[in-house]
Amino acid sequence: DIDILQGIANLGVNSVLKVDIKMLFVLDNMDVPVEQLQVALQSYRSHSLVRVWKNQKNEGASNSRNTILAQSFGDHVVLLDDDIIPSSHLLEAYVGGILRHPKAKIYVGTTTLPPPQTLMQMALYACEMTFFYNIAEKKKNPPWGVTANLCVVARTNKEHRFADCYPKTGGGEDVDFCLRMKP
């Protein structure tokens, strides 16, 4: 959804914070024409740079996230899924967390899911399969978060990457990554 991706690309922070933002969108869907997304998402503004990278083949969630970590320019990377609509203050919230807790390796954000509509969605909600999407609202120091909205130490993190033994569509790699990152 180009509109959602453009919303993510337009995230920023208050200019008083003097934060340089660099964004990388990794395309892992071979059916999406990269040129179309590059035109829609790439921008060179005074406070940010947006790049689009397309995997040569379907690498899956773990390897795509590792591509982001490997190409990181910054000390921290905010990992967002392509189907979320982030708050316009998302990056400011993470900057605030980093300033308050500079030694943390992981910052867990909240992802609010829409109310369940189908019987399957109601079942997933009832058995608490969606518990960790908003764990940051329930627990002060959650043991892990979902990569739909997660900020991790990047440039100085050379030894921790997402394991590629998980499904390409994602599921479990975020828990594994967070548990291995914790001291």
Side-chain angles (χ1 to χ4, degrees), residues 13-31:
V13 295
N14 185 319
S15 61
V16 174
L17 294 174
K18 306 267 191 244
V19 174
D20 221 14
I21 300 170
K22 309 223 181 330
M23 294 192 186
L24 174 62
F25 287 83
V26 175
L27 301 178
D28 198 45
N29 180 340
M30 300 303 104
D31 297 330

Side-chain angles (χ1 to χ4, degrees), residues 59-106:
E59 296 284 344
S62 291
N63 287 330
S64 293
R65 291 179 179 124
N66 288 335
T67 296
I68 292 169
L69 291 174
Q71 294 191 28
S72 172
F73 293 123
D75 295 326
H76 295 87
V77 166
V78 176
L79 298 165
L80 301 173
D81 282 352
D82 65 342
D83 59 352
I84 68 156
I85 301 171
S87 160
S88 61
H89 302 291
L90 176 94
L91 296 180
E92 288 178 359
Y94 276 127
V95 169
I98 292 165
L99 292 173
R100 286 188 308 279
H101 306 284
K103 294 186 189 227
K105 294 179 181 177
I106 301 169

Side-chain angles (χ1 to χ4, degrees), residues 68-160:
I68 292 169
L69 291 174
Q71 294 191 28
S72 172
F73 293 123
D75 295 326
H76 295 87
V77 166
V78 176
L79 298 165
L80 301 173
D81 282 352
D82 65 342
D83 59 352
I84 68 156
I85 301 171
S87 160
S88 61
H89 302 291
L90 176 94
L91 296 180
E92 288 178 359
Y94 276 127
V95 169
I98 292 165
L99 292 173
R100 286 188 308 279
H101 306 284
K103 294 186 189 227
K105 294 179 181 177
I106 301 169
Y107 304 87
V108 177
T110 292
T111 302
T112 305
L113 298 173
Q117 302 294 316
T118 67
L119 190 57
M120 177 60 104
Q121 291 170 352
M122 289 177 201
L124 290 172
Y125 181 78
C127 69
E128 297 189 348
M129 293 279 294
T130 61
F131 177 78
F132 273 93
Y133 281 90
N134 63 351
I135 187 66
E137 294 175 1
K138 301 171 188 169
K139 202 167 167 79
K140 185 175 180 182
N141 293 307
W144 65 80
V146 296
T147 48
N149 183 359
L150 194 68
C151 178
V152 300
V153 171
R155 192 168 43 139
T156 58
N157 168 25
K158 301 293 184 207
E159 66 275 2
H160 291 97

